[in-house]
Amino acid sequence: MGIYVNPGNVLFQMSRFSEIYVDKSMLISKMNRVYRTEKRFVCVSRPRRFGKSMAANMLTAYYSCGCDSSPLFAELKVCEEAFFQKHLNRHQVIRIDVQRFLDTEKDLDTFIAEMESSIVSELVQEFPQCTGISPDGRLKTVLGKIFHQTAKGFIFIIDEWDCVFRIAKNRKEKQKEYMDFLRGLFKDSEYAELAYMTGILPIKKYGEHSALNFFDEYSMVDPKDLGEFFGFTQQEVELQCRKHHTDLKEMQKWYDGYRLGSRHMYNPKSVVDALTWNEFQSYWTGTETYEALKVYIDMNFDGLREAITVMLGNGSCSINTRRFQNDMTSFQTKDDVLTLLVHLGYLTYDKKTGAALIPNQEIAQEFLNAADGPGWSGLAQAISCSEKLLCSTWKMDGDAVAKGMAVIHNETASMLQYNNENSLTCAVLIAYYSAKAYYLNPVMELPSGRGFADVVYLPKRNVNRPALIIELKWNKTAQEAVRQIKEKEYAAWLEAYTGEILLVGINYDKKDKVHKCIIEKYVKS
């Protein structure tokens, strides 16, 4: 048993017998299916504290012939799989935590050589019968000789593979040297039976291409069939909440909302901490600094602040994820920044709609903390007015809503293009920020009747509040807004809704800088 070659199972043992353990062992079944196939190169990218290392430790414990892990997998789901025993502790494993060799930027010039030297040294001890290998040899050369003399291949498990791109953000030559090393290690290699890499960022692209294009990538943008292993599922959280007598609705509000394919996933680190301490607060973001988020949201790309404002108002923002170069410096548009925030876990991505959004209360709080400074002045004050404006809407007090909108629109003027129709939409979403406690995420431009309603709020299940259909006008009248809702039958889509429906018309007169609002009850036909 070595540190890097055929390591033991101590790290997985610590996870397996922790008080809170969620069985993710079926990931092993997925890897067994690609073992020694063309699909054997796998790169999984997900945010910090989303279980990357635990998964890597589990795979190591399962495959490594340097230990006996039978007791650790007893009673786990994967035990029922046909090929479970065939691979259990039967393989030569090379386990690498890249960050172990790259603590700081000063290690950039030596880490590849040190990594190769450490692994080769153990290989020489592990295979004394092999000739022609020495501690000074290149890793790929030594592996090739071992394979041809013993017919034994290797399973590679590499954690924090992308830390180079986070530490050497502006060292392009070192990034390329590292990518060339990995390509040389794996490309067309007979000895690689399986390669599982995990990190935060997807594989770096140069232009439209990747130097490691033979890897299949599973990410927060495109999890493919591994989505259930990126966090905790609804069923898993329900089980843990029952076991620990914890409020499921609060857990959902704080930590749910990550969209991985067709699944909604919870942040695993935060769920575990909430269960442990029986308190709901921001746990995962506490492991980061809010300044890291602030750097990105303060970038002055056209439309970035408006997009973040919309998402803070529980809306979503369409983004193009394909142009992102998978690093932390090559930003050209707001879409690049927002895509990075998806990979970092500050946003989630709905692949079906192509939109990004803030997943939950934990992350919304972090955005509010970061959006506190020049360029964002007025946001916190505007949000503080939200609850009062929402109550005025329920009371159908149009004058009070108009006054509240004027205050909020003025407060957000410094960060939005004030004389712009989109800024009115942003202001409305911030004005109804408090609606998140009672309503589902707002539906923007809902196709309904003979047109599109601007903003629609539907109450959550078992919440006795009216649905809201909001129509916005610019330099017209609030009466015209309500009339349009009626004439174009925007409420027709909600006919099956048995509760009350309010029609809200809001107009902003640019010339007089006056807001007007009319609220009426919808009379069903």
Side-chain angles (χ1 to χ4, degrees), residues 41 78 80 96 107 129 182 193 264 324 328 353 395:
F41 298 105
V78 74
E80 304 299 322
I96 308 170
D107 300 321
Q129 74 276 25
L182 292 176
E193 298 175 329
H264 273 228
F324 180 56
M328 305 182 85
T353 62
K395 294 176 182 177

Side-chain angles (χ1 to χ4, degrees), residues 37-51:
T37 71
E38 293 291 337
K39 295 290 186 180
R40 68 191 184 279
F41 298 105
V42 174
C43 182
V44 178
S45 58
R46 43 182 154 160
R48 289 185 186 277
R49 305 303 180 96
F50 267 65

Side-chain angles (χ1 to χ4, degrees), residues 4-293:
Y4 311 105
V5 178
N6 299 330
N9 56 24
V10 173
L11 293 177
F12 179 58
Q13 183 179 355
M14 292 178 183
S15 299
R16 176 67 181 88
F17 296 117
S18 293
E19 181 181 359
I20 300 170
Y21 174 76
V22 174
D23 184 357
K24 293 293 182 179
S25 64
M26 290 303 291
L27 175 64
I28 292 170
S29 179
K30 298 280 189 182
M31 295 303 102
N32 283 345
R33 291 175 190 174
V34 301
Y35 168 77
R36 294 191 70 178
T37 71
E38 293 291 337
K39 295 290 186 180
R40 68 191 184 279
F41 298 105
V42 174
C43 182
V44 178
S45 58
R46 43 182 154 160
R48 289 185 186 277
R49 305 303 180 96
F50 267 65
K52 296 187 301 296
S53 295
M54 195 286 290
N57 295 335
M58 178 182 69
L59 293 174
T60 300
Y62 173 69
Y63 286 117
S64 175
C65 63
C67 55
D68 176 12
S69 298
S70 299
L72 299 183
F73 288 97
E75 301 180 3
L76 296 187
K77 296 175 186 176
V78 74
C79 290
E80 304 299 322
E81 291 291 292
F83 294 102
F84 173 72
Q85 290 295 338
K86 177 181 178 180
H87 295 288
L88 178 61
N89 300 133
R90 302 290 181 88
H91 295 277
Q92 307 289 331
V93 170
I94 294 179
R95 168 72 155 90
I96 308 170
D97 182 345
V98 178
Q99 199 155 351
R100 182 187 288 244
F101 299 94
L102 196 55
D103 289 332
T104 64
E105 192 171 352
K106 67 181 181 181
D107 300 321
L108 283 170
D109 294 327
T110 60
F111 85 99
I112 294 177
E114 288 185 9
M115 189 159 53
E116 287 195 277
S117 176
S118 298
I119 298 168
V120 168
S121 178
E122 289 193 11
L123 287 170
V124 170
Q125 296 180 34
E126 189 76 15
F127 296 93
Q129 74 276 25
C130 291
T131 61
I133 64 173
S134 72
D136 298 325
R138 291 297 306 274
L139 178 58
K140 66 178 182 179
T141 303
V142 171
L143 290 169
K145 289 182 178 180
I146 291 173
F147 176 77
H148 284 103
Q149 293 181 46
T150 66
K152 292 182 178 180
F154 293 84
I155 288 177
F156 296 83
I157 299 171
I158 303 178
D159 199 13
E160 300 286 0
W161 86 271
D162 64 326
C163 68
V164 176
F165 301 97
R166 290 180 270 124
I167 293 177
K169 293 181 181 179
N170 299 304
R171 298 281 300 275
K172 302 297 182 184
E173 78 287 355
K174 287 300 173 184
Q175 294 178 13
K176 187 176 185 305
E177 180 184 351
Y178 177 59
M179 293 293 280
D180 289 342
F181 163 71
L182 292 176
R183 181 181 176 85
L185 185 62
F186 293 124
K187 181 67 173 176
D188 299 324
S189 58
E190 296 176 294
Y191 52 74
E193 298 175 329
L194 174 69
Y196 179 91
M197 298 199 310
T198 186
I200 295 175
L201 296 174
I203 293 172
K204 166 68 178 170
K205 292 189 290 187
Y206 294 93
E208 294 298 317
H209 304 286
S210 164
L212 300 177
N213 56 9
F214 50 91
F215 271 83
D216 282 323
E217 294 199 69
Y218 303 78
S219 70
M220 297 297 283
V221 168
D222 186 15
K224 298 183 176 69
D225 63 341
L226 296 187
E228 65 183 292
F229 305 109
F230 277 65
F232 289 168
T233 65
Q234 180 70 23
Q235 185 179 17
E236 290 165 345
V237 173
E238 287 177 2
L239 179 63
Q240 292 296 327
C241 283
R242 286 197 300 270
K243 182 179 178 181
H244 294 271
H245 309 290
T246 303
D247 189 331
L248 176 62
K249 288 186 177 180
E250 280 296 300
M251 191 74 77
Q252 188 172 30
K253 181 179 78 173
W254 273 90
Y255 313 119
D256 188 15
Y258 289 96
R259 304 186 183 190
L260 280 300
S262 61
R263 296 176 179 272
H264 273 228
M265 305 297 291
Y266 289 72
N267 180 325
K269 155 70 176 172
S270 299
V271 169
V272 169
D273 282 354
L275 292 169
T276 300
W277 309 117
N278 196 27
E279 184 176 352
F280 297 101
Q281 62 181 39
S282 179
Y283 291 106
W284 173 70
T285 50
T287 67
E288 306 291 317
T289 58
Y290 86 91
E291 287 88 353
L293 175 59

Side-chain angles (χ1 to χ4, degrees), residues 430-498:
I430 290 299
Y432 286 95
Y433 176 84
S434 295
K436 67 195 305 177
Y438 313 95
Y439 293 86
L440 303 172
N441 286 347
V443 182
M444 311 294 293
E445 295 193 339
L446 175 72
S448 177
R450 297 194 296 269
F452 294 84
D454 283 337
V455 187
V456 175
Y457 286 95
L458 295 174
K460 294 179 179 179
R461 185 179 298 177
N462 300 323
V463 173
N464 185 24
R465 297 295 178 182
L468 307 178
I469 300 177
I470 303 174
E471 181 66 24
L472 308 175
K473 290 296 179 184
W474 191 268
N475 291 333
K476 294 183 181 179
T477 67
Q479 290 88 341
E480 287 181 77
V482 172
R483 185 165 59 248
Q484 180 172 317
I485 296 174
K486 295 177 180 178
E487 290 178 352
K488 295 197 174 183
E489 301 177 357
Y490 290 165
W493 187 78
L494 301 179
E495 283 288 354
Y497 174 64
T498 57

